[in-house]
Amino acid sequence: MAALRYSRDVTSPGIDRTSDGARLEDGDDVGAVIVSAEDLQARIAELGAAITADYAGRPPLLVGVLKGAFMFMSDLSRAIALPSEVDFMAISSYGSATRTSGVVRIVKDLDVDLVDRDVLVVEDIVDSGLTLSYLQRYLLARRPASLEVCALLVKEGQQRTALDLRYVGFTIPADFVIGYGLDVAERYRNLAAIHAYDGPTP
Ligand code: IMP
Ligand code: MG
């Protein structure tokens, strides 16, 4: 089970089915709001402040994990009031569309050298934790000065591996979610809030 610091539990998901899902043709697949756009932005401001305090004097290299983290990375990077750099990795995990196998393929590697850098991995969501666990081993082999993780979402009770998550946005129920970067078959990434997915299993 992950050590959840800076985490905020989401115990009572909202019932607002409209938000910006209403502008999608298949809005019926866009379920209840799990984390509203306002709550996302408020929590990201808190995460940014915590990171700003912790990394004073040692500029972080933010490593975003594409594609899911692209929106979180954009907002989080602006909430960190420090000199910082960003880079991205793209990975794709083998397995079904809604369940990872933990076997990860690196589609795009980092452009920068990690040696002696203070690396902060920016992840969208931790489910089994297998993807992140693989990534941490891969990045540690490159000898950074430090390696920490900032995950926007952690699914409660799903982790199959011990993970040290330095920063967590929200702990959410284990159901599949979409929006704010998260997809089903590449769709719904542009929703401003995190929603339940009520559509058919792809
Ligand atoms: P894990 O390896 O089981 O922790 O899965 C992590 C990856 O699976 C995330 O980075 C996402 O890309 C994807 N994923 C897991 N749960 C969800 C979800 O509810 N919605 C969208 N993508 C998810
Ligand atoms: Mg991801």
Side-chain angles (χ1 to χ4, degrees):
M1 196 33 208
L4 304 180
R5 270 171 281 176
Y6 298 108
S7 175
R8 177 184 292 170
D9 287 340
V10 178
T11 47
S12 50
I15 51 161
D16 174 18
R17 295 181 58 92
T18 53
S19 104
D20 49 1
R23 66 184 159 80
L24 299 181
E25 285 171 34
D26 48 359
D28 280 357
D29 292 350
V30 179
V33 171
I34 303 297
V35 187
S36 71
E38 293 71 28
D39 287 352
L40 284 171
Q41 295 306 322
R43 183 67 184 132
I44 290 167
E46 292 177 354
L47 291 171
I51 292 165
T52 300
D54 293 349
Y55 284 84
R58 46 183 196 117
L61 170 64
L62 308 178
V63 171
V65 185
L66 296 173
K67 299 177 190 173
F70 84 98
M71 214 172 270
F72 179 40
M73 174 68 126
S74 166
D75 286 335
L76 182 69
S77 64
R78 283 178 285 184
I80 298 171
L82 288 175
S84 61
E85 291 177 35
V86 298
D87 200 357
F88 292 93
M89 292 183 75
I91 61 175
S92 91
S93 64
Y94 295 105
S96 75
T98 57
R99 202 71 214 173
T100 183
S101 63
V103 181
V104 169
R105 187 165 59 94
I106 306 228
V107 177
K108 180 216 169 296
D109 209 334
L110 294 170
D111 295 327
V112 300
D113 191 355
L114 296 191
V115 174
D116 292 338
R117 300 302 307 268
D118 290 294
V119 176
L120 181 58
V121 174
V122 178
E123 249 291 35
D124 52 0
I125 187 166
V126 178
D127 185 9
S128 70
L130 296 173
T131 302
L132 196 56
S133 170
Y134 174 93
L135 211 56
Q136 279 177 316
R137 268 178 282 128
Y138 181 82
L139 295 174
L140 276 174
R142 302 199 174 179
R143 310 202 155 278
S146 66
L147 181 69
E148 301 286 358
V149 176
C150 180
L152 179 62
L153 305 170
V154 173
K155 286 192 184 171
E156 184 148 42
Q158 297 301 297
Q159 288 72 56
R160 287 156 58 191
T161 175
L163 288 172
D164 179 21
L165 304 175
R166 181 79 182 81
Y167 308 97
V168 171
F170 299 89
T171 302
I172 62 169
D175 312 309
F176 202 79
V177 291
I178 53 174
Y180 197 70
L182 295 165
D183 73 312
V184 172
E186 298 303 327
R187 305 211 32 210
Y188 311 112
R189 293 193 196 274
N190 60 331
L191 296 172
I194 303 286
H195 293 256
Y197 175 63
D198 287 352
T201 306

